[in-house]
Amino acid sequence: MSNNVENATLYDGVCMPHLLIEGLNRYDDRPCLFMGDDHILSYRDMRETTSRLMQALASLGLGKGTRAAIISGNRPEVLSNTAAMSISGFIGTPLHPMGSLDDHIYVLQDAEIEVLIFDPQLFGEHVAKLKERVPTIKHFLAFGPTDVGTDYLALAETFDPKPLVAADITPDDLGSINYTGGTTGKPKGVMSTHRGTAYMAMIQAAEWEFPEDLRMLMATPLSHAAAAFFVPVLQKGGAFYVLPGFTPDLFFDWVEKYCITATMLVPVMLYVLLDSPRADTADMSSMESIFYGASPMSPARLQQGLEKWGQIFYQFFGQSEAPMVLTNLSRKDHDLSKPERLASCGRPAPWVHLALLDDNNEPVAEGEPGEICVRSPLVMKGYKGLPEQTAEAFAGGWLHTGDIGRFDEEGFLYIVDRKKDMIVTGGFNVFPREVEDVLSGHEAVAQVAVVGVPDERWGESVKAVVVLKPGVDGTDDVRQSLIDTVKQAKGSVQAPKSVDFVTSIPLTPVGKPDKKALKAQYWGNASRGVQ
């Protein structure tokens, strides 16, 4: 019996907290985080700040299993806090910086958040409202002086740095709960384990084409995308270069000035860069890898980028339920002599079981489309508090992604449509039901259906198709009122970019809005139903 107890952890793998400690301990004076010429943090600085933040959290009685959310702009403390939370065994939940108050309230309550960490300069007023509405939150920790809670940084400065030691976690312990929308109209909490995030880092190390001399330019929120790049950058002894904002001039200026070798962008950012006059004049010779994902890339725009800057593009594909590394399209596979391949999301990672299944969970015939399904340590533990939706997602012993794909004869995967109605616009997920629920409450609306339509800039944009109530005219004022209503309730990302007024919405035989027929009116003869 004692031998079994001793061997209980014998085969446990390394988890994300261990990888972070090992990475932060590798170097001392080498630059780790760059946020401008006057703000450079070394590996030692990051390590010591992480230790101080960990001790500050522990002094409040917070540790393994604490559920914490974060909302912040890009500032150096965000990465140190990410490490401090992970190493302390927290269960983290990022709040979308562009999300609405109601959305944040729902997430904070559903995830049972005890601690909210925030940027007081950008979100002080917002957090004050959250404090009134979510009384179950016990601690409000600010990156600086605040009237809402505790100055987290001042508290951390009262401690001296100590060696980093990971909490007593297991690979099956939860590391995060990230929220993604669903057909119920409410976001679902994706419960990810320490095993999953470590496995993702392993596949990144094995498959992703990171430059040896890694200067990683980040233009996306550090509280979201940067976390996925934290360990690979540390393992390479690289440094994060964090833009104060995203404009083409800023991007190209930093690439030229600091000889940036890699970056991660969503397609809409690439479109903005390609449309800038600087795209033809900027010196991009230092750039070795542009990682892109989060939404499908327009093959035509990708071809334009390849013609300008060469084979420096690397695509990744995944979803919250199994993140980022399901398939990879390598730099060499971005081949202008095979333009049809630019519509692919690459080959499945050899570390993942990926199959195309029919509605009976059987493999489809070769060359035929089927739902992309996955088995892997990457796969989430389940949806928080949603056993039925979890069982549906795991039907037949596979994670069902909801995406329909097909393989070509060389094993490259193409996403041809989405099984569900999710819209991906500019790298953000929009769920039509949520927008429809807001619009259906408007005094002018009799019926509404929301679909994604082709958009050269955003990949897809949100379109509302509306049947007005009798006696209501479809004026520009009404159209703008509908857009503003959604913007106020859900945020600008979810707000329709266009509104069409129609006399009727096509229905299925059972009386549901026929989204497929509706989309066909806008997608026409396009070879696929996503951009």
Side-chain angles (χ1 to χ4, degrees):
M1 185 69 175
S2 60
N3 189 53
N4 289 338
V5 172
E6 290 174 2
N7 290 342
T9 59
L10 183 61
Y11 302 105
D12 280 355
V14 170
C15 295
M16 185 61 74
H18 310 119
L19 292 172
L20 289 169
I21 292 172
E22 195 275 340
L24 289 169
N25 282 341
R26 278 193 173 200
Y27 308 99
D28 288 325
D29 298 325
R30 181 177 294 201
C32 184
L33 181 64
F34 181 97
M35 301 193 77
D37 290 331
D38 58 349
H39 206 147
I40 304 172
L41 298 181
S42 68
Y43 274 68
R44 179 188 286 110
D45 294 331
M46 290 288 289
R47 184 168 67 238
E48 292 182 350
T49 301
T50 297
S51 171
R52 289 189 172 102
L53 293 176
M54 288 179 63
Q55 292 178 74
L57 296 171
S59 74
L60 298 172
L62 308 175
K64 179 184 175 182
T66 294
R67 296 175 182 241
I70 179 170
I71 183 166
S72 178
N74 279 355
R75 50 187 298 156
E77 297 85 5
V78 172
L79 278 184
S80 298
N81 177 70
T82 296
M85 286 172 51
S86 179
I87 296 169
S88 299
F90 279 38
I91 301 169
T93 296
L95 295 180
H96 198 298
M98 297 173 66
S100 70
L101 185 69
D102 287 344
D103 285 345
H104 288 164
I105 291 168
Y106 175 81
V107 168
L108 292 169
Q109 292 175 335
D110 190 70
E112 303 175 86
I113 296 299
E114 307 161 60
V115 181
L116 179 55
I117 299 168
F118 66 99
D119 182 337
Q121 295 178 350
L122 294 179
F123 297 101
E125 293 183 9
H126 185 80
V127 170
K129 295 175 183 176
L130 290 173
K131 187 174 184 178
E132 292 179 2
R133 300 279 298 276
V134 192
T136 52
I137 298 177
K138 300 173 184 175
H139 299 278
F140 292 83
L141 305 181
F143 292 133
T146 179
D147 295 328
V148 179
T150 301
D151 186 334
Y152 184 22
L153 302 185
L155 177 60
E157 282 301 315
T158 64
F159 297 96
D160 293 325
K162 294 181 178 180
L164 300 177
V165 178
D168 184 19
I169 61 168
T170 71
D172 279 331
D173 286 335
L174 286 185
S176 65
I177 304 176
N178 294 282
Y179 278 78
T180 181
T183 54
T184 63
K186 291 292 186 182
K188 293 179 290 190
V190 176
M191 301 187 295
S192 298
T193 64
H194 288 291
R195 174 184 285 109
T197 50
Y199 201 75
M200 179 181 73
M202 184 194 78
I203 295 177
Q204 287 175 306
E207 300 295 324
W208 287 25
E209 295 171 314
F210 287 99
E212 282 302 316
D213 187 5
L214 181 53
R215 293 181 290 278
M216 185 85 194
L217 186 64
M218 298 304 300
T220 53
L222 286 178
S223 57
H224 286 65
F229 285 84
F230 205 173
V231 165
V233 171
L234 294 178
Q235 294 292 323
K236 289 287 186 181
F240 284 103
Y241 287 69
V242 183
L243 283 176
F246 177 75
T247 67
D249 283 339
L250 261 179
F251 179 90
F252 289 122
D253 285 348
W254 278 45
V255 170
E256 291 179 338
K257 184 175 181 179
Y258 303 116
C259 296
I260 297 299
T261 60
T263 190
M264 194 287 284
L265 300 169
V266 298
V268 67
M269 288 177 162
L270 281 165
Y271 304 159
V272 170
L273 294 175
L274 289 169
D275 291 336
S276 166
R278 292 284 299 279
D280 294 319
T281 61
D283 181 1
M284 289 280 283
S285 59
S286 65
M287 187 71 73
E288 296 182 41
S289 293
I290 295 180
F291 298 97
Y292 69 95
S295 65
M297 169 76 86
S298 161
R301 303 310 303 272
L302 183 54
Q303 182 171 340
Q304 185 182 349
L306 288 163
E307 290 168 348
K308 284 184 183 297
W309 301 322
Q311 285 181 283
I312 60 174
F313 292 90
Y314 188 100
Q315 182 183 170
F316 57 87
F317 163 69
Q319 59 176 199
S320 298
E321 292 86 344
M324 295 185 74
V325 292
L326 298 182
T327 70
N328 306 285
L329 189 66
S330 69
R331 291 183 302 211
K332 66 179 175 58
D333 289 326
H334 286 78
D335 187 349
L336 286 173
S337 70
K338 299 179 180 179
E340 68 284 352
R341 185 172 294 162
L342 301 183
S344 167
C345 59
R347 287 190 172 105
W351 319 96
V352 172
H353 297 289
L354 189 149
L356 303 183
L357 304 182
D358 61 21
D359 289 341
N360 295 317
N361 291 322
E362 296 294 333
V364 298
E366 186 174 347
E368 291 297 310
E371 184 176 8
I372 301 170
C373 296
V374 177
R375 288 172 174 163
S376 168
L378 290 167
V379 172
M380 66 172 179
K381 204 164 191 175
Y383 296 118
K384 185 181 183 302
L386 299 172
E388 292 181 6
Q389 287 91 330
T390 299
E392 180 183 354
F394 291 164
W398 291 88
L399 170 68
H400 292 253
T401 69
D403 288 321
I404 304 299
R406 65 171 178 83
F407 285 114
D408 68 13
E409 63 281 358
E410 294 183 78
F412 287 87
L413 181 65
Y414 297 74
I415 299 174
V416 295
D417 210 338
R418 297 189 182 92
K419 193 170 185 178
K420 298 176 182 177
D421 293 329
M422 185 181 75
I423 301 164
V424 179
T425 178
F428 296 113
N429 295 344
V430 175
F431 296 87
R433 172 68 182 274
E434 297 182 27
V435 182
E436 290 164 355
D437 285 350
V438 174
L439 288 174
S440 63
H442 192 282
E443 59 186 6
V445 174
Q447 297 178 50
V448 59
V450 172
V451 294
V453 298
D455 189 297
E456 291 214 348
R457 183 180 185 191
W458 303 107
E460 291 179 84
S461 63
V462 180
K463 178 180 284 291
V465 182
V466 175
V467 178
L468 294 169
K469 291 180 180 177
V472 178
D473 294 327
T475 64
D476 287 342
D477 286 343
V478 172
R479 183 177 280 109
Q480 190 60 50
S481 175
L482 294 172
I483 294 171
D484 290 343
T485 297
V486 178
K487 188 176 294 185
Q488 183 175 355
K490 303 296 294 181
S492 59
V493 172
Q494 286 86 348
K497 297 293 185 292
S498 58
V499 178
D500 288 356
F501 297 124
V502 297
T503 56
S504 64
I505 292 173
L507 302 176
T508 67
V510 295
K512 294 183 178 180
D514 190 340
K515 294 286 186 74
K516 186 175 182 181
L518 198 59
K519 285 181 68 175
Q521 298 174 19
Y522 300 102
W523 291 87
N525 295 322
S527 60
R528 58 182 186 170
V530 294
Q531 287 280 43

